[in-house]
Amino acid sequence: MVLRTVYISPTIDDELRDQAFKLHTSKNDLIRKYIELGMAANKQKKPSVVGAAVGHKPVAAKKAKLKAAPK
């Protein structure tokens, strides 16, 4: 496993705690499972739609911007 640090809202943390308690598991296990499910769902969608959902520009737009930047 690889250690990553992420920041989540207190509301999400509370929801994770409640779900973990009900499912008799840890918040870490739930987070890993939700990441896996989210990544699997993203494979079903167009990258530009997924990127927009998290505030990113489509890859093609980034590449065009990089090419236009002076050296």
Side-chain angles (χ1 to χ4, degrees), residues 26-45:
S26 69
K27 288 193 289 185
N28 284 332
D29 286 341
L30 279 180
I31 291 167
R32 281 191 294 270
K33 187 55 153 178
Y34 288 143
I35 290 171
E36 290 173 8
L37 290 170
M39 291 179 74
N42 285 340
K43 288 180 182 179
Q44 309 271 327
K45 297 179 182 179

Side-chain angles (χ1 to χ4, degrees), residues 8-10 12-21 24-35:
I8 58 174
S9 71
I12 297 295
D13 191 56
D14 290 343
E15 290 179 30
L16 283 168
R17 182 196 62 230
D18 294 344
Q19 290 178 17
F21 180 78
H24 304 286
T25 190
S26 69
K27 288 193 289 185
N28 284 332
D29 286 341
L30 279 180
I31 291 167
R32 281 191 294 270
K33 187 55 153 178
Y34 288 143
I35 290 171

